[in-house]
Structure formats: C-alpha cells, structure tokens
Amino acid sequence: MEKTGKDDIQETRSQSPPPTSTPIPSEAPPKRPWWASIKEPGSAFQIVIAALLAIAIGLTVTSTVDKIPDAARAILGIPGVLWLRSLRAVVLPLIVTSMILAVQRLKDMTKGGPILAKWTITYFVGTTFIAIFHSALLTGLVWSKLMTIADEDSLSVDGLSSQSETISETGQASTVYGVVVQMFESFIPQNVVFALANDNLLAIVITSIVVGYLLNPGSAILRAVQEIETLIVVVITFLIKLAPIGVFFLILPNLFRLDISDVGFNLAILIAGSLAMMALHTFIILPAIYLFVCRSNPWAYWFKNSKAWITAWGTASSAATLPVTIKCCLERGIPDTVVKFLVPLGCLINMDGTAIYFPICVVFLAATQGHVLSVVDYIIISLLSTLASIGTAPIPSSSLVLTVMIANSINVPVTGMFAVVVAIDWFLDRFRTALNVSGDMFAAAVVTKITGMKEIIEEDSSIDGDYDRVNEPMVRGPNQV
C-alpha cells in the first residue's frame, strides 16, 4: 500500500526525537493567613471555643437556677451523645485494621519490630510506675494531712444512692487475685465474636496482632482490611469536623449536674489534690521525658495536639478519642507504623491519669473515717493501682469498682463518703482521660526517637494508610497491594 502524505508526516513525527522539556521550578505553596486554621471545620481553636462556651454557660446556669429539670439535660445532650456514639462505632474497626496493618509492617522489619514493641511496653510501664509513685508520695505527705474526719451522717451507708450501692457491692465482691486472674483472662477471648460484640478491646487487640502476623502479604484479606481502613478514615475525618458541636453538647449537660454548694472541704481536697498531681504529670514529668529524648519544646508539641486532649476531656473516653489521637500524631510526622501500633495499645494499658487517681481516692475514703494508713498499706495501694490501671477499660467511670476493691484490700470499709466520690467522678474522669491521651501522644514521639523508626518506615512504604490523603482519589500505584 502506498503511504499518503498524511502518513508520511505522522511517520516523520514519530521518528523525530521528543522535544526536551525544561524543568519548571517548583513554586512554594502560598502562605496561609493565620485565621485559615481557625476557619477550618473541627480545628483545635474551634474545639477550645466550644468547650469554654459550654463551661461558661453551664456555670452561669447552675449558679442562677435552683434546679434544672432532668428532661432539659437529656434533650440538650442528644447531639453530643449521637456524636460520641458515632466515634465509638468506628473505634472497633479502627483498632482491628490499625493493628493488623501495623503488624504487617513490623513483619517486614528484621530489627525494627521487636525494638518498637519492647520500647513501647517499657515506656508505658515506666510512666505508670512514676505516676503511682508520686501520687502515693504526695498523697501520704500532703493531701492526707489536710483531710478531716467526716461526721456520722456523712459516713452512714444509708446515704448511698442506688448507683453507689451497686458499685460498692460489686467492688466488695471483687478480690485481688480475682482481678489479676481476670486481667490475664482478658488477653485471650473465649469467643472472638462475643469479644467483638461486647467491646473487649484488650482481647480484640491481641487477636488482631495474631491475625496480622499470620496473614500473608498481598492476601485478599489484607486488601479488604486496607479498603476498610480507607472507609474508616473518611468517616473519622467527617466526625472530627463535627467535634466542636459534639464537645459543646457533651460538656454543657454534664455541668448542669454540678452543684458547687455541695462541695465540702474534704471533697475540695480530693479534687484539688487529683488535679494538682495530674497537672504535675502532664506539664512537668511527661514533658521532661520528651525534652530529654527528643530535644525539642514539649509544651509546643502538646498544644499542637490540643484537638486530641480537648476531645478526650469532652468525651471522657480514651477509646472514643482514639481516631482523633491517631490523626494528631500522624500530623506531627510520627511514622504510620508507630502510631497505629502504639496508640491503640496505649489506649488500653497506658492509664497514667487513672493510676494517679487510685491512691488519693482510697486515702480519701480512709482519712474521712479516721483510718490512718501505714507504709505497707501505701505499698499495697501502689501495687494494686498498677494492676488496676492496666486492667481499667477505656470507658467513662470504669475505675470506681476497682477503687472499692483496693480499699477492701487494706481493710478500709466503704462508707457514705463513697457516694461523694461517685457524684464527682464524672468531673475528674475527664481530666484523667485528657492525661491518658496526652501520655499516648508523648509516648509516640519519644518511642519514635528512641527506636529510630522513621528511617525504617521510609524504606518500607508499600502499604499506605496515611490520613492526610483521605481526600485524594483512591488510585493505587503498581507497587501497592
């Protein structure tokens, strides 16, 4: 066949060398104005404003209105409860997918995996011991000296509410060996489906680690886990944008329950002592560890992650805050594998705030009835607080039953003052949770620095689950599973 002129032109073009393209210099991204982050939905600034506004309105209403109807609290709390339930709904699949993918990455590391696991456990146990030590020391030397013996009416068991009485009976029925056995039994689920249905998070984490280790790279199950994680990231990103609304409607109804006139001297000491020791741990001890290891400003790091600990304060649940904590750690440049292994594990066993609260709460029950504790009693409290803080579920007010168990172990009877502890626990629980979440974020940075996982992660980037790319098209390259 004869070639036409058009064909000759196309052939000539195809044979001609491609034109050399001059490299275009990359332009620096435009500098965002300072108010851009404030206008961003779900920003830390918006969450802070929402929390402060809820506190101001709540304190104003409680100081001017004699009695707030229960119906008003319930209806006002609906948006916050719905937001909290939505967060909890994604926690379980988030933990499962995060642990499976993190263990898959650790399998590909000849040295990094065991080192990360070793330093994570070491850091969590070490900070828990430090928290219990300074809590028991300050409680024995300072706070117990300020507490006074309560009158007989306050100590009367008849004054216990039905909720306080139920918690007290449950705690009294618990034994030390029973708690230890139950903690170890919670590692292995008897029924995996039952553990999933009942949010037995520790058993779910252990199961996810085993499954992640046994899965072969590139398997269909692993691809399904990655797709599920992608969906979860989209849902979490949307829920975080609603965080200011959720936090506002969680805090406001709870403040309507606060009756400042009922706060007695002993209760004021309990609140002040707990908050002071939590502040010591949050602003002095953990930042000192971070400064020593990372050689950077710990308070700037903590404020940059304010979205997580403010959400923790609003929800009073480390588990519900887990998605926000993971996102904040990733935004700080912490490797994906470290975050998705360390943070879910810390959500379950890194309970520094709870560890601080146990000693002063038990001493409060003893001091109000004139029971003087010995050094041996404080040692028993410290040991049991360590076990109890690890075994505490990451849900609101889960430490009350264990408080009764520790009190019974040193022969401190539960009196009517326990009702006071129950009545104020919802308030202190928010600060405990904020400390627990702050501890997880400090741990992520410290363990990353100690293990040097950043360089290892950069070499192993075949599996991608970065939260920052949630708005990009879900298109995988040839090297991705």
Side-chain angles (χ1 to χ4, degrees):
M1 294 178 61
E2 296 182 359
K3 295 183 181 180
T4 63
K6 186 177 180 180
D7 293 334
D8 292 337
I9 294 173
Q10 290 179 349
E11 186 176 6
T12 305
R13 287 178 179 175
S14 63
Q15 292 176 356
S16 61
T20 57
S21 59
T22 58
I24 301 174
S26 59
E27 296 182 359
K31 189 175 181 181
R32 300 174 63 192
W34 63 271
W35 63 82
S37 59
I38 298 175
K39 295 170 60 178
E40 181 183 352
S43 65
F45 182 81
Q46 291 182 0
I47 297 176
V48 171
I49 293 298
L52 294 177
L53 188 61
I55 293 172
I57 295 175
L59 293 178
T60 302
V61 172
T62 52
S63 60
T64 55
V65 179
D66 294 334
K67 181 173 178 57
I68 301 173
D70 294 337
R73 290 204 305 264
I75 294 174
L76 272 177
I78 289 176
V81 171
L82 293 178
W83 180 73
L84 182 59
R85 288 171 67 91
S86 301
L87 276 177
R88 289 179 177 173
V90 298
V91 164
L92 192 60
L94 175 64
I95 289 177
V96 173
T97 56
S98 297
M99 295 305 296
I100 290 177
L101 295 178
V103 172
Q104 277 289 309
R105 293 184 180 94
L106 293 177
K107 280 177 60 179
D108 297 334
M109 304 174 191
T110 56
K111 297 180 180 179
I115 292 175
L116 174 61
K118 179 186 72 175
W119 279 106
T120 298
I121 300 299
T122 301
Y123 181 90
F124 286 158
V125 174
T127 54
T128 300
F129 272 124
I130 293 173
I132 291 175
F133 175 77
H134 76 72
S135 174
L137 184 66
L138 291 176
T139 299
L141 296 178
V142 180
W143 307 114
S144 63
K145 310 297 183 184
L146 300 176
M147 298 176 183
T148 59
I149 300 176
D151 55 35
E152 294 183 1
D153 294 336
S154 300
L155 296 175
S156 175
V157 182
D158 297 335
L160 287 175
S161 63
S162 57
Q163 179 191 10
S164 306
E165 197 169 348
T166 302
I167 296 173
S168 176
E169 291 174 356
T170 305
Q172 289 175 350
S174 303
T175 58
V176 176
Y177 69 86
V179 172
V180 175
V181 171
Q182 184 180 5
M183 182 184 69
F184 282 100
E185 287 179 349
S186 65
F187 291 166
I188 308 297
Q190 188 174 358
N191 187 324
V192 177
V193 178
F194 180 83
L196 291 169
N198 291 272
D199 288 345
N200 296 336
L201 298 182
L202 192 56
I204 293 170
V205 166
I206 300 296
T207 305
S208 301
I209 292 174
V210 174
V211 172
Y213 183 79
L214 296 178
L215 283 178
N216 294 322
S219 65
I221 297 178
L222 190 59
R223 290 198 298 271
V225 170
Q226 290 175 314
E227 293 295 338
I228 293 172
E229 189 196 36
T230 302
L231 296 176
I232 294 170
V233 169
V234 175
V235 175
I236 289 172
T237 304
F238 174 73
L239 291 177
I240 290 176
K241 292 179 179 179
L242 300 178
I245 300 173
V247 169
F248 177 84
F249 285 103
L250 279 174
I251 295 175
L252 184 60
N254 280 292
L255 282 176
F256 287 165
R257 299 161 50 188
L258 182 62
D259 191 353
I260 301 177
S261 61
D262 288 342
V263 179
F265 181 76
N266 284 326
L267 184 57
I269 296 298
L270 173 63
I271 296 174
S274 301
L275 296 182
M277 291 186 294
M278 291 179 198
L280 172 66
H281 200 75
T282 305
F283 299 116
I284 304 297
I285 295 176
L286 292 180
I289 299 174
Y290 179 92
L291 180 62
F292 178 77
V293 175
C294 300
R295 304 294 181 180
S296 59
N297 190 334
W299 299 282
Y301 174 81
W302 185 75
F303 275 110
K304 288 179 181 177
N305 292 312
S306 57
K307 185 184 298 184
W309 52 262
I310 293 174
T311 303
W313 193 88
T315 61
S317 173
S318 300
T321 314
L322 182 61
V324 187
T325 309
I326 289 179
K327 184 172 177 62
C328 286
C329 289
L330 291 175
E331 289 174 351
R332 302 284 79 78
I334 298 173
D336 187 81
T337 300
V338 176
V339 173
K340 293 184 179 178
F341 176 80
L342 182 146
V343 176
L345 192 62
C347 169
L348 300 174
I349 66 174
N350 187 32
M351 299 286 184
D352 292 350
T354 306
I356 289 173
Y357 183 65
F358 279 135
I360 190 170
C361 190
V362 173
V363 171
F364 171 80
L365 295 176
T368 51
Q369 51 188 306
H371 190 102
V372 180
L373 300 180
S374 63
V375 176
V376 177
D377 291 331
Y378 278 102
I379 294 175
I380 295 174
I381 292 174
S382 300
L383 294 176
L384 294 181
S385 298
T386 304
L387 295 175
S389 62
I390 295 175
T392 301
I395 57 177
S397 300
S398 58
S399 59
L400 290 173
V401 174
L402 295 173
T403 301
V404 177
M405 182 272 296
I406 297 174
N408 289 334
S409 66
I410 57 173
N411 299 320
V412 174
V414 176
T415 62
M417 294 303 292
F418 183 68
V420 177
V421 174
V422 175
I424 203 64
D425 186 76
W426 66 270
F427 177 72
L428 293 176
D429 194 26
R430 299 179 182 278
F431 293 92
R432 297 198 300 265
T433 308
L435 170 54
N436 294 338
V437 171
S438 300
D440 294 341
M441 292 185 294
F442 277 119
V446 171
V447 172
T448 299
K449 184 68 174 180
I450 292 176
T451 59
M453 294 294 290
K454 193 168 186 179
E455 290 76 14
I456 298 175
I457 296 299
E458 288 174 353
E459 297 174 1
D460 179 34
S461 57
S462 59
I463 300 175
D464 219 337
D466 196 345
Y467 277 55
D468 293 334
R469 288 194 295 275
V470 69
N471 294 322
E472 294 184 6
M474 286 183 282
V475 179
R476 289 190 170 85
N479 296 326
Q480 290 179 296
V481 177

